[in-house]
Amino acid sequence: MNVPVILALGAILVFAIVIIMTRDKDPQQRATILLRTGAAIMAVFTVLAGIAIVGNALQDPGGTAALVMTLAWVVPMLILAAAAWFWPAPTAPMLLALSSAFIAACVWLAFDPAALRSFVSDNGPVIAVSVVALAFPAAVLGLKRTALAGWLLVALGVLPLVITLIARSGPVGSLTAASVVPLIAGISYVVAARMAHGSPASGKQRAAAA
């Protein structure tokens, strides 16, 4: 059984257990638990993915180059995650812009698969690493802007992989492993947002506001 399948089954199993254990709670509570579960899974996934990426970098190219390559994606990811937590309003459009630019770059590179393969050969699985680096801040943003972050995670989990598969423009294994958990977490965020929006407590708040 390969890594993407294990990750997908693990995430689905966790969500299934959470749903079963919270079936007697009201929709607002279930939405909160589902949201926090998605965030926790994304945090664990990011740590594991980071360990794998850093380990590969230490093997090839190793040394100072590996340190520079690691800092090049870890530092911006952590800055974006902190900004998403403390300043979600300005960070949300920034993450949308960065994700849109990344997906546009995937489309552009798909028209020149030979150049992409050469770039990946020289620099490693940059598309997969980019998915991880953008998905974690999006997951943090989801604790403040659930629906928006959910759809952003779904887009990051689906579009780069689909573009790469259709164009056959790069390695699929690492990208699939990087995409499957953000996709599942994104779906859980979207479901949690709709569940919270349709809960009786939410309806009472809207009625009171009216």
Side-chain angles (χ1 to χ4, degrees), residues 124-144:
V126 288
I127 296 180
V129 173
S130 298
V131 170
V132 175
L134 288 170
F136 179 63
V140 175
L141 179 66
L143 296 172
K144 307 286 187 176

Side-chain angles (χ1 to χ4, degrees), residues 15-204:
F15 282 118
I17 293 172
V18 168
I19 291 171
I20 292 171
M21 292 180 65
T22 61
R23 65 183 182 275
D24 296 328
K25 297 183 180 295
D26 66 74
Q28 186 68 44
Q29 289 179 315
R30 294 183 70 189
T32 301
I33 294 171
L34 191 60
L35 172 63
R36 291 177 180 175
T37 302
I41 287 176
M42 274 301 303
V44 172
F45 165 73
T46 303
V47 171
L48 295 177
I51 291 172
I53 294 168
V54 172
N56 289 334
L58 289 174
Q59 291 180 356
D60 183 20
T64 305
L67 177 62
V68 172
M69 290 172 63
T70 300
L71 293 176
W73 69 271
V74 171
V75 173
M77 179 186 71
L78 294 178
I79 292 174
L80 281 172
W85 177 257
F86 291 106
W87 306 284
T91 305
M94 185 188 307
L95 268 175
L96 281 173
L98 289 172
S99 300
S100 299
F102 166 60
I103 292 169
C106 291
V107 174
W108 178 68
L109 289 169
F111 288 99
D112 193 356
L116 177 59
R117 282 191 288 268
S118 176
F119 184 75
V120 169
S121 177
D122 294 336
N123 299 278
V126 288
I127 296 180
V129 173
S130 298
V131 170
V132 175
L134 288 170
F136 179 63
V140 175
L141 179 66
L143 296 172
K144 307 286 187 176
R145 303 285 190 274
T146 306
L148 173 64
W151 287 114
L152 184 57
L153 283 168
V154 170
L156 288 170
V158 171
L159 294 180
L161 180 60
V162 169
I163 293 168
T164 302
L165 285 170
I166 292 174
R168 299 180 181 177
S169 54
V172 174
S174 60
L175 182 54
T176 304
S179 301
V180 63
V181 173
L183 172 60
I184 295 171
I187 293 172
S188 76
Y189 276 29
V190 172
V191 172
R194 294 194 174 186
M195 198 179 292
H197 184 73
S199 69
S202 176
K204 290 178 181 178

